[in-house]
Each structure stands twice: as structure tokens, then as C-alpha cells.
Amino acid sequence: MSNMQLCSTGLLAFLVILPHFCWSQYAAPPGDQIWEVEGEIGLVTTMLQDKGLVDILDESRSRKIIRVGLKNSIDVKFILLQHKLTYKILVKDLASYLKEKDGKTIKTRSITCTDLSCPQPLSDAYMTLDQIEWYLKELNISHSSRVNVTSIGKSIEGRDIWLVHIRPLKCRVDGAVWIEAGIHAREWIAPAVILQLIPKLLEDCSRIGYLDIFIVPMANPDGYLYSWTTNRLWRKNRRINNNTSQVGCDGVDLNRNWDYKFGLFASSNPCSETFHGASGFSEPETKALSDAMIAVSRDYNLLMVMAFHSYGQFILHPWGWSTEEAPDTPMMISRATLWANATKKRYGTVYKVTSTTVGLYAASGATDDWAKAVLQVKYSYTVELRDEGTEGFVLSPNQIVPSSEEVWDGMKILLTAVGPGDYIYL
Ligand code: 0X9
Ligand code: ZN
């Protein structure tokens, strides 16, 4: 792990107020549309995704929303027809829709934190990758007594993956927590919320101050950058896959690439959004993350792993690969319920507590299952943040503050309840 080295403060501070027109953010390949498939249980859309013909955006129990590219739309229509399925077009021109949405968010960008002495994450706009790195670098300097920001490795395109270690404020009670965000590029609310939690954790004087907290706010930096510059709905990393020259056929779904039950419920087709990659940990991002997690669990008593995603409003517990009960399931449900109840209090936002396979779908090779099975952490979760599909991945930046506030409400109780004294919450 090398200590953080970034460009000078002045230059990076400037990036915080960089005008947005430098980015063609919210881009989408021309002709992309969003469809809702009516009346099917998911087998057909999953098959279409495995063939690399569609990108499933929402496959909750009640609806199937897919993104269909221009060149695949005739094939997709044909296959739906073959299965006697109908669909309706929700967004006819995704690129224009995203541009229109972008127009609504411009005003709020670049207002906060132009002050060089202010190491605060932006709360009224999604931060660019440069802004995130600027913030982490500032944090490392301004809070050097408690915070250590190190690189745990490089992405496939050579960008650092940063780990923020917040050391205990009070004497250590031998407990650590690992928080990951941003493994899926398009789920911008996840890194945004986790970055908001950092100052809250540092200001907190409660029992949370006894914990070692490890945070990777941006696990897939290349994908995130690509979702700003080229394709807002990009999910995977940016590996160039062999023998594929088609749009969308690059990249590996990093949440299918963990080396536990690898390949079981994931796609072997590079053109699929859930392509699992060549082998478990074939990707430098998952390798770096897992190596760092192994190191933490060797040196600390790792109590909990949480991976933040969007959307759907779930707190999911393992397994994603089987409907069997994972060890400690009653305790995981009990703590997740505490989190969900606390998270609901402020704005009434309902988070469903469920195992992945029961409440969502089967998907193997994810962070949570690996942490549960290999590291044997007691508490392992994936959180799907706001919303339930109204804006989906393109959640308005005015959702950053309320999402972070409610998640913080949940985290305060959860972090206290997973510690060595967790029995008091039974
Ligand atoms: O499919 C995923 O990787 C996650 N959902 S998302 O919509 N953010 O892509 C859920 C992962 C849940 N955990 C496992 N499948 N193990
Ligand atoms: Zn995700």
C-alpha cells in the first residue's frame, strides 16, 4: 500500500469548480431505449442479457426494465414476440433523456466547497473522479492523526483504488468494519453517500469511535470515469475483452468476479452486463479489494462487510448463490432490521431486509458472499440505496443529502450493534 500522492492542492481544488461542459456526462450510445417487458417472470430477460442483447436495469419481482441498443432492438423484439411477450417503450431516446436530466442538475453543480481549506465532499452534486481524489487527498492531510488514505492497487487502466482507514478515536475494542462503494460504475449515489459518511464518522463521539473503519469509496474508478465521459449507464470495469469490437462487449462485472462460487449465476458472455470475467479475481480491482480485505481480517477483528450499490432500497444478506441459509442469518437479519428501522425514521424511506436469492435474484461472485464464506465475517451485507425505480441509476443529486442522512441514522445504530457488545441488542 503506497501513501497517497496526488497533484498539488491548488490544481485539484480548481477541479472542484471545473465547469461541467468539460464532460459529456449522461451520454448514451445513440439509439438506446428503455423498455418495460410486460408480464414475464424474468427467464426471458435473463436469457436476453446473457446473450448480450439487453442490459437489465430493474429486475425486481414486479417489473422488468431493460435498456436496448439500436442494433439489437429487432432481435429483442423478435425474441419477445416468440415468447408471446409484450413491451412498452419507457424512454424512446435515452441520450436526449439523459441530456435533459443533466440540464436540470447543472445549476447545483460547482457551488459547494470552492474554499481551499474545506475538505468536504460535495453534497449538491455528484463528484467527478478527480474531485473524489482531491477530497481524499485533502482528508489525508487535514485529518492525518486519525485518517490514512492509501492505494490498495491499480485498476485495469492503471488508476489507484483508494482505501480510507479511520482509526479509533478512543481505545480500540478490537473491531473493524469494511465499507465498499462504487463497484458498479453507474450507481453514482453509492460513492456519493459513502463520501458523505466520512466527515460524519469523524465528527461522531459515540461508541462508533472504538472501531477501525475501512472504506473504499470508489472500487471501480475506470468504470466511473467512463460513466461520466461516454456512457452514463456503464456498469462493468473497463477491461478490453478479446475478440469483441462491439459496443458494450468490453468490461467485466466486478460483482460477479469474486472467487467464491465463481461463474454459477453470472454470464460467460463478454457482451453481457453481468459478464463474470475469465476467472475468479481475474480483474485487478477485485484482486486488490480482496487482498486488502484479507489483510484487514488478518490484522483486525473484522466484524462486518458492507457493499453499497443502487437501486431498489434493500439491505441484502447472503447468499446470492443459493437459497440455503448462510451462517449467522438470524443475527444478520436482526442487525439489518435495526438498520432499516433507523433509516426509515427520518423520511419514511423503506428498506427491505431479505436474502439476495429470496428477495432479489440469484447472482454469484459478489463481495458479500465472498466476505461471508471466505473471511467468515459475522455480518455481510449489500445495500441497494435509493430509489425504487423512479429515477433509478440516474438519481437526482438532490437525493444525496437525504439518502446520506438516513443511511447515517442506520449506520449509527448498526455500527454500535455489531461491536463486541452486540449482545445488548438481542
Ligand atoms: O446484482 C448485483 O450485483 C447487486 N445488485 S445491482 O443492482 N446493484 O447490480 C446485488 C448483489 C447482491 N449480492 C449477491 N448477489 N451476492
Ligand atoms: Zn450494483
Side-chain angles (χ1 to χ4, degrees):
M1 295 186 192
S2 68
N3 260 328
M4 188 155 195
Q5 282 175 341
L6 288 168
C7 342
S8 75
T9 307
L11 175 64
L12 281 160
F14 172 72
L15 289 172
V16 172
I17 52 167
L18 194 70
H20 99 287
F21 53 73
C22 295
W23 302 91
S24 60
Q25 70 216 46
Y26 296 107
D32 269 19
Q33 296 189 331
I34 308 284
W35 298 4
E36 175 163 8
V37 181
E38 288 160 338
E40 75 117 341
I41 50 157
L43 294 175
V44 178
T45 43
T46 307
M47 176 267 284
L48 288 169
Q49 169 147 289
D50 286 348
K51 284 178 181 290
L53 291 173
V54 305
D55 167 18
I56 301 177
L57 299 177
D58 192 332
E59 57 179 320
S60 53
R61 290 273 172 258
S62 48
R63 40 197 245 148
K64 298 283 169 271
I65 312 285
I66 56 177
R67 177 167 62 98
V68 187
L70 188 59
K71 73 172 171 26
N72 293 329
S73 66
I74 292 179
D75 290 347
V76 175
K77 259 184 226 170
F78 182 72
I79 293 171
L80 291 179
L81 199 72
Q82 267 185 334
H83 290 85
K84 299 189 175 39
L85 292 172
T86 54
Y87 67 93
K88 64 172 181 245
I89 299 177
L90 297 184
V91 179
K92 207 165 166 225
D93 178 355
L94 183 61
S96 314
Y97 168 81
L98 293 171
K99 229 175 254 153
E100 148 87 358
K101 220 167 177 308
D102 183 30
K104 289 185 190 138
T105 62
I106 288 169
K107 287 170 228 90
T108 55
R109 183 161 299 116
S110 82
I111 295 168
T112 325
C113 204
T114 52
D115 176 357
L116 295 189
S117 66
C118 152
Q120 290 292 328
L122 298 183
S123 60
D124 59 351
Y126 290 106
M127 290 165 82
T128 64
L129 188 61
D130 283 332
Q131 289 170 336
I132 293 173
E133 292 202 319
W134 169 80
Y135 168 66
L136 296 179
K137 181 226 164 211
E138 289 292 305
L139 184 77
N140 200 32
I141 297 167
S142 60
H143 290 76
S144 55
S145 60
R146 256 193 100 193
V147 174
N148 218 15
V149 183
T150 55
S151 171
I152 56 170
K154 303 265 189 199
S155 65
I156 189 95
E157 289 182 336
R159 294 187 178 83
D160 282 302
I161 297 166
W162 298 110
L163 172 67
V164 180
H165 176 192
I166 302 180
R167 286 189 295 275
L169 178 69
K170 307 174 187 177
C171 45
R172 188 195 283 182
V173 189
D174 200 20
V177 165
W178 180 277
I179 294 174
E180 169 208 284
I183 205 166
H184 284 149
R186 63 193 175 192
E187 299 167 10
W188 289 8
I189 190 66
V193 162
I194 294 314
L195 288 164
Q196 294 296 314
L197 292 195
I198 293 174
K200 294 184 195 300
L201 283 163
L202 288 168
E203 282 154 25
D204 188 83
C205 296
S206 72
R207 285 189 60 227
I208 300 172
Y210 288 109
L211 295 169
D212 279 278
I213 301 185
F214 293 88
I215 302 175
V216 177
M218 179 46 66
N220 177 10
D222 303 346
Y224 186 71
L225 186 64
Y226 194 73
S227 73
W228 276 77
T229 60
T230 314
N231 183 347
R232 173 66 184 85
L233 292 180
W234 191 256
R235 168 182 169 98
K236 301 183 274 183
N237 76 349
R238 289 298 303 149
R239 172 178 287 280
I240 305 300
N241 293 317
N242 287 339
N243 307 323
T244 59
S245 54
Q246 296 173 50
V247 179
C249 294
D250 289 328
V252 168
D253 182 349
L254 298 176
N255 218 31
R256 300 290 180 276
N257 188 246
W258 293 70
D259 195 13
Y260 173 70
K261 302 291 173 188
F262 172 83
L264 204 54
F265 293 102
S267 177
S268 56
N269 179 355
C271 302
S272 165
E273 289 295 329
T274 55
F275 176 48
H276 52 50
S279 56
F281 295 145
S282 58
E283 302 313 293
E285 294 88 352
T286 46
K287 182 79 176 72
L289 288 165
S290 56
D291 284 349
M293 289 164 83
I294 289 168
V296 166
S297 82
R298 189 189 50 221
D299 298 343
Y300 300 82
N301 173 22
L302 185 57
L303 303 163
M304 177 168 74
V305 168
M306 289 181 97
F308 283 82
H309 290 244
S310 76
Y311 56 95
Q313 293 170 201
F314 289 97
I315 176 159
L316 302 165
H317 52 86
W319 303 113
W321 70 274
S322 162
T323 45
E324 267 169 45
E325 233 186 44
D328 310 306
T329 292
M331 287 297 275
M332 285 195 287
I333 293 176
S334 141
R335 298 306 179 261
T337 308
L338 284 180
W339 184 91
N341 290 344
T343 300
K344 189 179 169 194
K345 275 216 173 101
R346 197 185 286 249
Y347 297 114
T349 313
V350 175
Y351 276 81
K352 285 94 51 194
V353 179
T354 173
S355 94
T356 300
T357 32
V358 171
L360 204 61
Y361 45 73
S364 57
T367 308
D368 52 3
D369 280 8
W370 180 85
K372 185 73 210 164
V374 178
L375 299 184
Q376 300 187 344
V377 288
K378 188 164 174 184
Y379 303 100
S380 182
Y381 300 111
T382 292
V383 175
E384 301 284 357
L385 293 166
R386 286 190 187 193
D387 57 13
E388 286 185 296
T390 312
E391 294 188 300
F393 299 119
V394 197
L395 197 68
S396 298
N398 64 14
Q399 299 287 302
I400 297 172
V401 169
S403 300
S404 309
E405 288 172 338
E406 65 197 12
V407 167
W408 175 237
D409 293 338
M411 294 309 290
K412 274 191 289 193
I413 181 94
L414 181 64
L415 289 173
T416 325
V418 298
D422 66 358
Y423 60 90
I424 60 170
Y425 287 87
L426 280 173

